[in-house]
Amino acid sequence: MRRQLIRLWRRLRKTNRVVTVLLYTVFGVLTFFVSLSLSLPVDKIKDRLERELSQEQGPPIAATGGFGIGTGMDVSIGELDIHVLRPGASATDVRLKPRKVPGSDAAAAKNVRPIVIDKLEARLSPLEAAFGTRSGSLFVEAFGGELAAEGSQGDDGISVSANMHDVTLLRLSALSGLLPLPMLGTLGVSLHFKAPNQKPATPARAGVAPLLNPPPMRLDLAKAVGDLEIKLAQATLGDGKAKLVVPGDAFLSQGITFPKIRLGDVIGKVTIERGRANIVDIHAKSPDVELWVDGYLELRDPIQLSDARLYVRFKPSQQLTAREPTMELVVSSQAQGK
């Protein structure tokens, strides 16, 4: 009995030593990260980030030390926080003011209201980075709605999942430069996308030293898969002031004032398979008009070179044509489809 008690006492002493070492280690690590977070020059980081984001788009100028993350807009950040324990950063009251608006002069661009992002938070996953995969999450609160996204990029390609809901187009003032006509409504989007990396064109041969700085991996969009679901609730198109311009059309090339029409709920789905984004069904019906959108988008790398083939059909109601005589001109000019 005495020997057993002695053995138990020795084991407890060894266990206490291990626990003590672990506690000291945890305390030291926490102290390091807390000290690091308190010593970071957050104000200087915020100023530098504002300067970099306010640069023009494109690669940085050589020998300037720039990051090449310019947005082409004037960017200001209200408050910036750097997170160390779970690496990442968060910002509030981020304002982006376009310096150029497509189709407008410089004077009109000055009157454009800035895009306001109430909250933005980005986090990284250091554990997966240790195994060669860059992954993280993004949360954005803006325009009355929220966006939550997760993504990863590694040797096997890229994967992205995103969910956006309750985004009010009225608060997205810069949207007027992206669409041919003003549009209002509440937008929700769900996205899942995967694409593998392209295989090297010339595999390394035996006895040949690999490149010190290999070119970045490019996506093989011909093998991309995914799906996209869209819902635009209580949508309206046009405002009775903006003009609809269709280049190449004898009637609409000079533009025609487009009335404000109700679209109702626009619901659609897009499937991505073998590098082609096919519109499965985008449809809207309201007392003013019935709308269909068909077609596909051939994905290219870079994505700006993608080829879109879209076919839009709409059928105005008798009430709309009686209220807005200009709709008869639009319908007759688009009888063959555009």
Side-chain angles (χ1 to χ4, degrees):
M1 185 68 180
R2 183 178 180 182
R3 292 180 180 179
Q4 292 178 352
L5 292 175
I6 293 175
R7 290 177 182 177
L8 180 60
W9 173 251
R10 290 177 178 176
R11 289 180 181 178
L12 290 175
R13 291 186 61 185
K14 292 181 180 180
T15 303
N16 289 336
R17 291 178 183 176
V18 173
V19 172
T20 301
V21 172
L22 289 176
L23 290 176
Y24 274 115
T25 303
V26 172
F27 177 76
V29 172
L30 290 176
T31 302
F32 169 76
F33 281 115
V34 171
S35 301
L36 178 62
S37 61
L38 293 177
S39 61
L40 286 174
V42 179
D43 292 338
K44 293 184 178 179
I45 295 175
K46 182 174 76 72
D47 295 339
R48 177 65 183 275
L49 189 59
E50 289 177 342
R51 289 198 304 269
E52 292 293 335
L53 292 174
S54 299
Q55 300 295 325
E56 294 295 333
Q57 294 180 340
I61 303 176
T64 60
F67 300 139
I69 57 175
T71 62
M73 296 182 283
D74 295 327
V75 181
S76 64
I77 302 174
E79 184 176 352
L80 177 68
D81 292 325
I82 305 297
H83 309 287
V84 177
L85 293 179
R86 188 185 172 193
S90 61
T92 58
D93 193 22
V94 181
R95 297 176 178 266
L96 302 90
K97 185 174 183 180
R99 291 192 288 265
K100 301 177 182 178
V101 179
S104 302
D105 54 11
K110 294 181 179 179
N111 298 326
V112 175
R113 292 183 299 175
I115 301 172
V116 180
I117 300 176
D118 301 320
K119 182 179 180 181
L120 187 149
E121 182 176 343
R123 300 278 187 169
L124 301 177
S125 299
L127 184 59
E128 295 187 10
F131 294 94
T133 301
R134 292 177 292 179
S135 64
S137 61
L138 176 68
F139 175 80
V140 180
E141 184 179 337
F143 319 122
E146 296 180 352
L147 167 67
E150 294 181 353
S152 63
Q153 183 178 15
D155 296 335
D156 56 346
I158 188 173
S159 175
V160 178
S161 296
N163 187 16
M164 182 175 68
H165 61 89
D166 297 333
V167 173
T168 305
L169 299 186
L170 177 62
R171 298 182 58 181
L172 188 56
S173 58
L175 190 66
S176 59
L178 304 177
L179 295 178
L181 289 171
M183 178 175 285
L184 302 179
T186 303
L187 180 64
V189 176
S190 177
L191 170 66
H192 302 279
F193 178 80
K194 289 184 179 181
N197 291 325
Q198 293 182 0
K199 294 182 179 180
T202 55
R205 293 176 297 176
V208 179
L211 297 176
L212 295 178
N213 295 315
M217 297 294 295
R218 302 183 64 180
L219 296 178
D220 189 357
L221 293 180
K223 299 179 181 179
V225 295
D227 60 81
L228 174 69
E229 295 183 0
I230 304 172
K231 181 177 181 180
L232 181 60
Q234 300 178 356
T236 62
L237 182 66
D239 58 0
K241 300 178 181 179
K243 291 186 176 183
L244 173 64
V245 179
V246 179
D249 187 274
F251 296 97
L252 302 179
S253 59
Q254 300 300 321
I256 182 173
T257 303
F258 200 85
K260 182 178 181 180
I261 61 177
R262 296 169 294 174
L263 297 179
D265 293 342
V266 182
I267 301 175
K269 184 175 182 180
V270 179
T271 60
I272 304 172
E273 186 176 3
R274 296 181 180 179
R276 173 179 286 189
N278 297 294
I279 298 177
V280 177
D281 181 31
I282 295 182
H283 180 244
K285 186 176 182 179
S286 73
D288 287 346
V289 69
E290 191 167 4
L291 175 70
W292 299 267
V293 180
D294 301 312
Y296 62 89
L297 176 68
E298 290 286 355
L299 301 179
R300 299 284 187 264
D301 188 14
I303 198 67
Q304 294 86 349
L305 300 180
S306 297
D307 185 19
R309 303 293 177 92
L310 302 178
Y311 185 75
V312 181
R313 296 176 293 146
F314 63 93
K315 180 181 178 182
S317 64
Q318 295 181 355
Q319 297 176 357
L320 179 63
T321 54
R323 188 178 74 242
E324 302 291 345
T326 56
M327 292 303 300
E328 294 184 1
L329 177 62
V330 175
V331 173
S332 60
S333 66
Q334 303 298 300
Q336 300 299 324
K338 294 294 180 181

